[in-house]
Amino acid sequence: MLLSLQPAPVLIAQRATVPARHENPTTAAEEAEAPAVFEWYLASLTRFRARRFAEGRRIVVRLRDAHLPPEIASLVGDINILLIKEGSILEASEEWLRAAAGLIASARLGVAGPLLAQVERYTRRGAVLVDDLIGEFQDLGRRSRVEALPPEAAARKAYEAVLRLLPEPKAMLAQYQRAALEARRLTASDVRAIAMAVRAAAVAAGLLPQPGVGLPPQPAPGLLPPELAEVITYPTHIRLDAFSPAYPGRRFSVRITVTEEAPVPSRRSVLLLLDDRPLAAFSLGSTTHQLLLPPRTAPGVHRLSATVPRQGPYLAAAAQSSLRVIQAASNVRLVLPRVTLAPGRLHVSGRATSRFGPLANALVEVRTGPAAGVARTSPAGEFTLTLRLPAALDFVGPEAVTARTFPEEPWNAAGDGRASIFVVNLINATLAGLMALALPLAGLTYRRTQRTAQEPLPAPVIPVKLPGLLRAPAPISDTVVQRQPRTAREEIIAAYLEALAAVRRQTGVEPLPAMTVREYAARVRPRLPTEAFARLTGMVEVAFYSARVLEPETPALARDLSGQVRREVGRALR
């Protein structure tokens, strides 16, 4: 029963990485999956293959916390000790070889000899440990019954991969041993003659200063023995910093720093990619570059990556950074007259800008009601156009004028502008005037007809005017209401008049001759706390223009609504 731990992702049979399940071995429960240890060993050997020996040893050390059955725990402990020793031998051998290569390249052959001898002793010992490891792993495979698992099981795949990887450390040690022997053969010759020849060649190649300058000698990797040069590797480190935000079609800053743990710098280049597409290439070092972002780069977060390829003993390196791409917001300022006539022409001008200055040659679309027009901006971002306002009956009163700009530059985003204008409709005004003249004549004719029929005259009235109604069969503006209402309709109209007077005092908005009662209610609605006046407006429309019979409770409801409006006004004015 083994605790299933979670090693770092490893490559199994050249497929996707397969992690184990649990991260903390001291808190997870025991499970009957002893073969899972092979996933950890595979992760360790994979690090050894990549010459990341310290990481490989850390993975093995974590297995000490696993809960194992007694028959497996001792065997796993022996394997752990062997693997840790093997990783240490590999790491020490490579470090000593790298140090010896630097000494040989600087013609210090006598000092390099003891290091090379130490490498030979360590590689022979490491080869013996590899043979022991192979036997121990085969024994662990039998005891854990990993071969009885299905072929697709992760533990069995890890076990088979471990058996394939075990000979590789032995091959690495053999390569280290050959390199050490070759280098020792060189140092065993006439050390003085070889040193002088190596130094002379290095001076001629410009790798060492002229005699007498007093500068420290520089390594000459090209003069190393072939076997030694083949096994020496130099890590490369790269750092990438991108300065956001960036704008499509404009330059942005990126800083790239590449360092090599090598005695002599390589002649490689660093390749910069934007979303896996090549963007630029630079020489190694630490520099800040101003790069042009492709104009078609979409706004959002993009991935910048810098890579340095491997070249001989110089290892590859890569780094990534995020680049946030945005577009600058556009602003449109409109210049309009306060009042215009419909039908007629409306002259609109304005200016479009962004944080980068005027929007030159941008397309501007302007709309108001049913009228629309387009124009192009000047180099200063200015535009002028004329809209033809139609004779639409509903095109009257305050109207919004909107403008939308479509910049030509890729770094500017589309923007909007808004303004307001008051439209006076000539047709509606004419109709309202004619109706205002016709209604008094109609009332006079009606009264004369009543006298002719010898009917009693109506009681004295007090003329009270309501706002005109443009699209109604008869306007309210010249209608008179008796001081003492007789009918339900008159009561509703009287209640509306009282509420109207209160609303006019509170809002300061006067009804225009071209307004209906409904339009007036819509205009003052934002300044009133409730819908009482709007409901009363609907009732007065029905009472004044409809011939249907009113409900008996309608006048009382109208009085209640009128009283509510007057109370609200009183509270607002206090």
Side-chain angles (χ1 to χ4, degrees), residues 292-306:
L292 183 66
L293 189 65
R296 296 187 177 181
T297 305
V301 178
H302 295 261
R303 184 179 71 256
L304 272 179
S305 57

Side-chain angles (χ1 to χ4, degrees), residues 50-53 94-95 98 231-238 258-266 268 284 308-318:
R51 299 185 178 183
R52 293 155 59 183
F53 306 110
E94 182 167 310
E95 290 294 331
R98 184 178 291 111
V231 299
I232 296 302
T233 59
Y234 301 109
T236 305
H237 306 284
I238 184 170
V258 181
T259 56
E260 298 173 318
E261 296 182 11
V264 176
S266 66
R268 296 176 292 173
L284 303 188
V308 178
R310 177 167 183 170
Q311 185 182 73
Y314 300 93
L315 299 180

